[in-house]
Amino acid sequence: MEPVLIMKTACVLLAIAAAGGLTLAGISFGGKAQPPAWLAMLHGLLAAAAVTLLLYAYFTVGLPALASWALLLFLVAAAGGAFLNLNYHWKKLPLPKALIVGHAGAAVAGFVLLLAATWAATRA
């Protein structure tokens, strides 16, 4: 499989996951204690699918350096998301705003790097 196709597919999955993440953050920052569990699960599932594709490409056909850094940031964001879900959302505790911002920051930085890597690889 071609790394550029995998990166493009991951970008689409992550863009959809990001829309869900923005909705989740809007609900959390809007004063509601808990966003819907189904939305959090869908957000995580889509992001995990993209990260799995990137991991597969990294270990089989290789990824450009920027995409590899993006993958690392996505793994950090995934750890933060899992921590938020298991330690707060699942227990129906209020989600800490600082952790939400840190999770989103790592994911956004990774997404920007992945977009740049995909753009560069497509242009080459």
Side-chain angles (χ1 to χ4, degrees), residues 1-121:
M1 186 160 237
E2 192 175 312
V4 176
L5 179 60
I6 290 176
M7 292 189 305
K8 286 180 180 180
T9 304
C11 283
V12 170
L13 289 169
L14 289 165
I16 297 167
L22 286 171
T23 304
L24 289 166
I27 291 169
S28 293
F29 283 98
K32 224 179 157 189
Q34 289 293 314
W38 67 267
L39 184 56
M41 293 297 144
L42 182 60
H43 166 73
L45 177 70
L46 291 170
V51 170
T52 302
L53 280 173
L54 292 172
L55 280 168
Y56 171 77
Y58 180 82
F59 286 113
T60 57
V61 294
L63 287 174
L66 279 179
S68 297
W69 285 108
L71 175 58
L72 179 63
L73 286 170
F74 287 133
L75 290 171
V76 169
F83 183 80
L84 277 167
N85 186 37
L86 296 174
N87 289 308
Y88 294 96
H89 198 258
W90 195 252
K91 296 175 183 177
K92 299 199 183 306
L93 298 172
L95 301 173
K97 308 295 191 254
L99 288 177
I100 293 171
V101 170
H103 167 70
V108 167
F111 189 64
V112 168
L113 287 178
L114 183 60
L115 285 175
T118 305
W119 177 265

